Structure formats: C-alpha cells, structure tokens
Amino acid sequence: MADLASSATDPGDEDLLVAGVDSSTQSCKVVVRRAATGEVVRTGRAAHPDGTEVDPAAWWDALGVAVADAGGLDDVAAIGIGGQQHGMVVLDSAGRVIRPALLWNDVRSAAAAAEMVEDLGREAWVARTGLVPVASFTATKLRWLRDAEPEHAARVAAVALPHDWLSWRLRGYGPADESPLGPELDALATDGSDASGTAYWDPARREYDPELFELALGRPLRGAETGDDGDAVIVPRVVAPSEAMGTLEQDVDLPGGARASRGLVVTAGAGDNAGAALGLGLAAGDVAVSLGTSGTVFGVTDTAIEDPTGTVAGFADATGSRLPIVTTLNAARVLEVIGGLLGVDHAELGRLALQAPAGADGLVLVPYFVGERTPNRPDATASLLGMTPGTTDRAHLARAAVEGMLCALADGLAAVERTGVTVERLLLIGGAAQNEAVRVVAAQVFGREVLVPEPGEYVAAGAARQAAWVVTGELPGWSIPTTSIPADPHPEVLERYRAAVG
C-alpha cells in the first residue's frame, strides 16, 4: 500500500483518473472518475443475460464491451470491481468454469440452507459468520452442488465469487489458452465484504471457517487441518480495503477489443452493497434503502451484528467496519410486474399511484412474486388482498404496488434498528428512487425524512473511490447532492401490510 501510494501522484492531482466497475445481475457498468473530486469523466455499459444461473464468460465479455464503451483504461491509474454477491463460481484445476454460476437469486438451494441451519443451529451460525444461511448464500449453493451434482463437486479446485473471478481474469489469469498468466488459482483474491456473504467467513475474526466450508461442499479448505490436502479446495485470499490485489505486469486483452495496460492497479473490490455504501460515503447513523430489481436496507457500524432470526446479515463493509443488511428479492421487480399488467411504464405507474390515497383504501399487495429471501419464504407467491369494487381499479393497484414494495423494506429497516443500529439519515437509492410516487410513499411508509441522492452508479462509484484510496493513500471525500423528502407519517399503511403478511 505504501509503495503504491508513494509511486502515484498527489491526492489532489486533478489529472489522476480511477475507474470503478459494477458487475450486477443485469449489466456491467464502468465509470471513470477524477480521483481528487469524484467527477465523472466517462462511462460505459453492457448487458448481462437473464436467468438465475449464468456462464461467467458472459460477465467477462460484458466487462470488455463496457470498458471499450467507456473509452478504455489507458489513462486510468487504478480500477476496482464491485459485483453481485454470493454467486457460486467453481473452477477446476485448469482454471475453467465447471458449470454456470448459481446467482444470489437462485433459490434451488433453499432445502440445503435449511439442512445447514439444522446441522449447527441459528445461534452457532450467527456467532461464527454473522448470518443464518438462506438460499442466497454461497455455502448453501455448494451444499446443493455436493448433493445434486456430485460429479461437478468432485472436480472443484477453487471457489470464487463473481467479482473475485472478474478481477482474477482482469489481472491476466485464467485457462491457459485464454489468458497470458494461466490458471494460477492461488492468485484468486477478494475483499472482506464479499467474503462475508459466503457463510464460511467470519467478519469478526476476518478469517475463513474451514469447518463450515467442509460442511457445505464436503471437501476441506487447502491448508486446513482437516482432510487430505490432495482433496482440498482453494478460496480467494482476502485483501484489506486500502490494499491492491496486484498491479498488471503486462498488457491484458479484454473481449471486444479493449485492453488493460501494464501498470494498472487492481484493487480489492467489493460486494455490491458494500460498494454502494462506500460510493455514498455512508457513516455511522446512515442507512440506505436500495431499490433495484431486488431491495436492500444497509448501514455502517463498528459494532458486531448478531440477529439469530437471520433477518439481518452482519456482513463486513468495504472499509473494515460492519454492514448490517436486509435483502428482499422483490423491489423494482414489483413495479415492473404491475406496470406490465397495467400496460404502463414506471413513470405512468407512479402517476396512477398518486391518484389513490395513502393505504389504497385497504388494498394490499404482498409482493412475493419470486418467493422471498426476507422473510425467508422461497416458495411463497404474491397475493392481493382487500379487493372491493372501489379498490379494484388501475390507480389503487398502482398504489398498492408501490406501498407493498416499500413496506417490505420498512420491515427490513425495523429489523436493522432492532440490532442496535441508529438511523439518523435515511437515503433512498436505485432506479426506482427517481419515481415521484416512490419518494412520496417512502416518506409516508418510513415515517421520516428521506434523502434521495442524485442519480448515479453508486456501486461503481464505491469501487472507484476505493481505487483512489489505494493509489493516493487517502480515502477521498466526494460530495453528493441530495433531495430531501419531508416526513409524512402514515403508520396505518405499514400496519395493514403487516397484518396481510401474517
């Protein structure tokens, strides 16, 4: 870290550029910023395929296209990659992906998660990892692989996460016929925020738990006391937040004609929510509600988080602190489904919603369209309650959709507060946060002032801010304009929703 900082330029150098990547479920975004001010210089984007399992090669292709779309990296000093958490990327000894990666929103491992909870008990899992296994977490997907595809499980030489694997490829590693440095699995690296979402890494001790890994895959970690080293599996080393995974010692060709040049610093990166927290500059007392296809509620604290119910996961953040988080599978997805039913886009759905009163006259949408992670109901379906001749119209249905989405996240906020996290500022981010009806209803459902930062790619911003931290030796403070939505409490909305959920 000291060598990197001393070999770079002054932290205030206006010409120093850094890049951040957000490799999300839907797409890959690349943002190039000025390290001193955070000013966006240029951006690029490429789509990811749909589905809950994806060949990681699609992410690598998209990264190349997005880098090219952003004007390349030739003038960039450092790059960080933020990525969707939990995705299971399994590699063989030749560095090849064994099967498509199971993503965080793939719930086929729900039964495996229940078995793993039964194996040790909720309290033991929380004490050792800060969380209770659900289908999203990597460990449960490895247990599913062990039981459902034993021939694939037997070939596993290393287990990585999406941002780990992309960073590894960007640094020049991979199958021998696809990369200049070849399949050096020991070069795999990650950061604490992403490692803490595996359910076999302890964010308190900041160490892997070999017993839990073996409980998942049925194979030991390499170097662990248990098992035959010949059967052991590699996991990425965990890099400190202000340190780099490495510096490119030769040019690396990316798909789509892009290139990463010799001397480019690749930082630790982060899981997507930790990246967003870093991009927003969250501090103690700040909590963000993120409205992507899925929804999250997360804050930053120096206190260990323990929630035996499993509602709040006590992840690590991207600075060395903790990131208590609640995740739902259904957020902006709810608006897309109901908007599709009504034949309107998000903007028109919002206009319709504001034509109905708070509470939608008793119409309640429980939005479990793809099951749910919080509460842990992977097999649940959505339901609409309170239909009468007066409530069964377009405006009331639109209002119920917006309220249902936000009420689910209000329950998440309440769960975060129950762990002892203090909420002094509540920030609303994500594409759906730009909808006027969403902002109005958020101030009613949450019953407090809501701050809406200007639109931005905050995961990529966090990865870029980390990159600036590594090459300058200082974590920059980038200002973010926000819009304030005054509190307008309507507690009856959340009360009706909770009664409907049961």
Side-chain angles (χ1 to χ4, degrees):
M1 167 29 180
D3 290 340
L4 286 170
S6 61
S7 64
T9 60
D10 185 285
D13 184 353
E14 292 289 342
D15 295 325
L16 181 65
L17 299 182
V18 292
V21 177
D22 175 12
S23 182
S24 70
T25 314
Q26 296 85 13
S27 62
C28 180
K29 284 84 68 177
V30 175
V31 178
V32 177
R33 291 177 173 252
R34 297 195 186 280
T37 64
E39 175 193 353
V40 175
V41 176
R42 55 186 190 266
T43 65
R45 185 185 184 98
H48 284 163
D50 293 331
T52 63
E53 67 170 32
V54 172
D55 184 345
W59 304 330
W60 179 235
D61 291 342
L63 177 62
V65 172
V67 165
D69 191 41
L73 301 173
D74 287 345
D75 55 351
V76 170
I79 186 171
I81 296 180
Q84 55 178 302
Q85 291 192 259
H86 315 312
M88 180 191 73
V89 182
V90 285
L91 306 175
D92 65 15
S93 59
R96 298 191 182 279
V97 175
I98 294 170
R99 69 165 331 278
L102 297 188
L103 306 190
W104 63 274
N105 55 353
D106 192 303
V107 298
R108 75 185 75 179
S109 59
E115 291 171 3
M116 294 176 75
V117 172
E118 187 175 348
D119 287 342
L120 294 181
R122 290 174 175 271
E123 291 76 11
W125 280 102
V126 170
R128 294 169 70 166
T129 66
L131 52 82
V132 177
V134 294
S136 296
F137 298 143
T138 315
T140 71
K141 299 178 188 305
L142 290 175
R143 170 70 77 95
W144 175 88
L145 185 74
R146 184 198 75 178
D147 296 339
E149 299 179 357
E151 70 285 1
H152 287 152
R155 293 175 53 204
V156 174
V159 178
L161 302 169
H163 115 260
D164 312 345
W165 183 82
L166 275 174
S167 300
W168 186 66
R169 294 301 312 270
L170 179 63
R171 290 163 54 217
Y173 300 101
D177 58 346
E178 298 178 14
S179 63
L181 299 180
E184 188 176 332
L185 300 179
D186 283 325
L188 283 163
T190 190
D191 87 304
S193 70
D194 223 0
S196 64
T198 61
Y200 46 81
W201 191 79
D202 181 352
R205 294 184 297 116
R206 300 187 73 82
E207 295 178 358
Y208 286 106
D209 190 318
E211 181 184 351
L212 297 184
F213 182 87
E214 189 162 2
L215 183 70
L217 186 61
R219 305 262 305 281
L221 284 179
R222 198 172 76 177
E225 295 291 331
T226 57
D228 177 3
D229 280 348
D231 192 41
V233 177
I234 294 170
V235 290
R237 65 186 173 90
V238 178
V239 177
S242 61
E243 296 181 358
M245 287 186 179
T247 301
L248 269 62
E249 297 180 357
Q250 62 186 88
D251 293 349
V252 175
D253 293 326
L254 279 65
R259 182 185 63 181
S261 301
R262 181 179 179 275
L264 179 68
V265 175
V266 181
T267 67
D272 50 5
N273 295 296
L278 190 60
L280 289 164
L282 294 192
D286 295 336
V287 173
V289 175
S290 178
L291 302 174
T293 301
S294 61
T296 52
V297 180
F298 54 89
V300 174
T301 179
D302 291 328
T303 304
I305 298 298
E306 293 191 0
D307 180 11
T309 72
T311 302
V312 181
F315 292 167
D317 79 339
T319 69
S321 295
R322 299 294 285 273
L323 191 84
I325 184 168
V326 172
T327 303
T328 69
L329 296 180
N330 301 277
R333 179 194 315 277
V334 180
L335 308 187
E336 293 163 5
V337 171
I338 299 302
L341 177 64
L342 298 177
V344 298
D345 60 14
H346 278 206
E348 180 59 24
L349 183 77
R351 285 190 285 270
L352 283 171
L354 291 177
Q355 294 173 17
D361 291 318
L363 188 68
V364 177
L365 175 67
V366 178
Y368 300 161
F369 286 102
V370 290
E372 192 45 87
R373 167 172 165 175
T374 308
N376 185 25
R377 299 178 182 177
D379 299 321
T381 56
S383 56
L384 188 64
L385 300 91
M387 288 186 288
T388 68
T391 62
T392 310
D393 61 22
R394 292 161 60 82
H396 283 82
L397 182 55
R399 183 81 187 206
V402 175
E403 291 180 344
M405 172 186 72
L406 289 168
C407 282
L409 290 161
D411 274 348
L413 178 62
V416 169
E417 289 184 284
R418 285 195 296 271
T419 66
V421 173
T422 301
V423 183
E424 297 174 3
R425 294 199 311 158
L426 184 66
L427 291 84
L428 195 68
I429 64 171
Q434 304 311 311
N435 188 296
E436 181 64 21
V438 171
R439 297 182 181 197
V440 168
V441 174
Q444 295 173 346
V445 168
F446 294 119
R448 66 177 78 213
E449 179 191 31
V450 175
L451 299 176
V452 183
E454 68 176 4
E457 299 293 348
Y458 285 106
V459 176
R465 190 171 176 229
Q466 181 190 72
W469 188 8
V470 170
V471 295
T472 68
E474 297 180 11
L475 181 61
W478 294 343
S479 62
I480 303 170
T482 61
T483 299
S484 173
I485 312 300
D488 182 20
H490 279 265
E492 73 279 5
V493 177
L494 187 53
E495 289 168 4
R496 288 181 185 141
Y497 175 85
R498 288 172 172 167
V501 171

